[in-house]
Amino acid sequence: MTTRFFTLTSTLALFAGPAAADMNFNRIASFETVRNMAQGDDKARESSAEIIAATEDGMTLAYTDSPLGVVGLIDITDPANPAPKGNISLGGEPTAIAVVGTTGFVGVNTSESYSEPSGHLAVIDLERGEEMANCDLGGQPDSVALSPEGDFAAIAIENERDEDAGDGRTGQMPAGFLVMLDVTETGLDCDSLTKVDLTGLAEVSPEDPEPEFVDINRLGETVMTLQENNHIVVVGADGDIISHFAAGSVDLDGIDASDDGRLRFDESQAARLREPDAVKWIDDDHFATANEGDMDGGSRGWTIFSKTGDVVFDSGVSFEQALVQLGHYPDSRSDAKGVEPESIETAVIDGVPLVFVGSERGSAVGVYDVTDLAAPVLKQILPSGIGPEGYVALPQRNLLISANETDLIEDGGARAHVMIYEYQDAPAVYPQLTSEGAAELIGWGAISGMVADEDGILWAVNDSYYGSQPSIFRIDTKENPARITDVIRVTHENGDAAQQLDLEGIALDGEGGFFLASEGRTDQVIPHAIYHVDAKGVIARGDGEIGLPSELMAFEDRFGFEGITRVDDRLWVAVQREWGDDPAGYVKLISYDLEIGEWGAVHYPLDDTEAGWVGLSEIVAHGDHVYLIERDNQIGAGAAIKKIYRVALSEMSPAALGGPLPVVSKELVRDLLPDLQGFGGY
């Protein structure tokens, strides 16, 4: 089963931009999982939110937290202000949860090794936080589903392979299987446990099925993905296999298949196995899969199947390309599985059947109207946390919830989050910037500096994350969202990309070209410099690169130029942090006279901070002032300083380098934290 998809402008048109007066999802709140830790707990420990469910009244969320070995609870009586309800310890690793009423059914992995997998299904009273029942499952559970009537449970026993053994391939025993269990008023009937053998079905490693995800329709039929086996199985309520079939493959054209620091979408992958992860019924005859991939596959999209194996719809490359346009493309995964759709949720909200597709690596969720199963329409893409793993929709409350498993505590980044979206009679807040509608597919990210031109046009640059493709983007702000309409690549005169740049600022030269500030880092052979490029992005030989004088380079630091602006014949550059000759708490604003080639500087006083460090990240001249972004390096709940200050140009009288520098005074223009918090994220 192979399907071919080409890059077509019509596929990109599926993304409808923000509506002026229509129903849209908007993120209204985020909840850090560490908030559920008890007072005195070590909040430096890793936490996570993976699979998530809700009580029948929709007022409490329950999510699995594998690193802590708990189920976390969140009170969403007021969904815009989620409140912690604490953690319930399970004595093992929770892998999945389903809820009936206020009772949680949790798959718990207790395996001591890959060769001796074990686990049980725990029944938890979520109100009292007590375990009511427990059934041994005979293996390692990976997914749990309850029938719509709540009378039985289906559990995927994956018995996952050791990826460090046998070249990480399937064929490692014991094999996985499906378990079906009757649910009673008091919990579970362990004696009713039925084991459904899945061996001999798949073409890939038929002896070693590894079921990944299960869901049950109104007929009591269980659909199940065997991800590593690239196979799908449908089992009746009596435990008999109704149908099974290969998940098939897709020919992908117009993708980026190389991890090379560039965004290029002119490559292909032939016969890419879907290897689906999550699966959800849309109706009693059709289900959707998120084709994440594992060993040999990952088709970067999602599929609607009939339960007899027909492909009703496949997104091909259109879902990934929609994420590309919003700056959500994970370039480091180009040579692997791209945006990696991993999770699927379905619901009927306001009479509209919807499919929600979560991109694990793109940290976003696509909202599709599937009124026509053969032609779903991408209505929105919503920003999620890092590594969305599970979703639950609450149609009765017009809510969508995402559980985001990645905890970046070791990197000083965002903690794992649960995020809440509301279906509102309001314009869509997200995105603010897109390249949708451009003549070509323009990928972008790491926007690090901007400058305003005439008629609502901005020019922006990307930083060293795309070091093999330094770029200048043309942005039209007259549209909502603002649109990237064109891109200029920064090159040398011979046409080669100007690599080893870390562009952090851009200014107009008044002749159609630009001055660019590059933040240097000597240990990585990235120069501290100002570059002058023409309207085509070409750096001229000779005066195209303005290197720093010895008086500056003698005290250089890796935290260099962060913004550039032009005032008459003088360039001003903001330095991010103190260099070796700066007093603590003071950074340089460096000037360069274009007429005589003379350097100078003033000192700018930074705010104090209780955590991390504070620095500058932009400078722009306007009227009688220069405006600067001053910020700390903290995110999430720890963020404290995200501000715009201004300095009067009358104070910007540079002194010669190497001696005392005058200190300018600053005036607060805007504290940006309330604006940032207004997006309901971190």
Side-chain angles (χ1 to χ4, degrees), residues 164-336:
D164 295 324
D167 294 325
R169 309 296 299 180
T170 50
Q172 301 178 30
M173 297 296 107
F177 51 91
L178 174 70
V179 162
M180 303 175 73
L181 268 171
D182 289 343
V183 174
T184 67
E185 291 185 2
T186 58
L188 293 170
D189 179 4
C190 295
D191 293 335
S192 70
L193 187 148
T194 300
K195 177 181 175 181
V196 180
D197 183 11
L198 303 172
T199 60
L201 302 179
E203 296 177 6
V204 178
S205 298
E207 79 286 359
D208 181 25
E210 293 193 18
E212 189 76 25
F213 212 96
V214 291
D215 193 37
I216 305 173
N217 65 12
R218 291 174 299 178
L219 302 177
E221 298 167 339
T222 299
V223 63
M224 173 181 12
T225 56
L226 313 184
Q227 184 173 23
E228 289 80 4
N229 311 93
N230 196 41
H231 210 75
I232 296 171
V233 181
V234 180
V235 177
D238 58 2
D240 290 341
I241 293 175
I242 297 174
S243 65
H244 69 91
F245 45 88
S249 62
V250 179
D251 290 337
L252 300 175
D253 296 291
I255 64 170
D256 187 343
S258 304
D259 178 13
D260 57 4
R262 293 182 296 166
L263 291 170
R264 49 174 298 182
F265 302 99
D266 57 358
E267 298 179 289
S268 302
Q269 288 178 338
R272 190 73 170 176
L273 299 181
R274 289 188 172 96
E275 292 186 346
D277 188 333
V279 60
K280 281 281 186 173
W281 290 98
I282 299 173
D283 57 34
D284 289 338
D285 298 307
H286 302 89
F287 52 81
T289 63
N291 305 325
E292 177 199 25
D294 196 332
M295 294 192 305
D296 304 306
S299 64
R300 306 187 179 210
W302 67 284
T303 307
I304 296 177
F305 289 96
S306 74
K307 64 184 178 186
T308 56
D310 297 322
V311 174
V312 178
F313 166 81
D314 191 286
S315 66
V317 297
S318 64
F319 177 59
E320 179 167 274
Q321 290 187 346
L323 291 175
V324 167
Q325 294 170 337
L326 300 191
H328 277 260
Y329 181 73
D331 182 56
S332 63
R333 302 295 296 176
S334 292
D335 59 344

Side-chain angles (χ1 to χ4, degrees), residues 398-440:
N398 278 3
L399 297 177
L400 172 70
I401 318 294
S402 73
N404 306 280
E405 69 172 340
T406 304
D407 190 336
L408 298 177
I409 184 171
E410 292 185 0
D411 300 320
R415 305 303 302 268
H417 276 71
V418 170
M419 292 187 171
I420 303 173
Y421 312 83
E422 185 175 52
Y423 196 50
Q424 305 172 333
D425 185 6
V429 173
Y430 198 83
Q432 291 89 48
L433 180 62
T434 177
S435 65
E436 192 266 335
E440 62 176 294

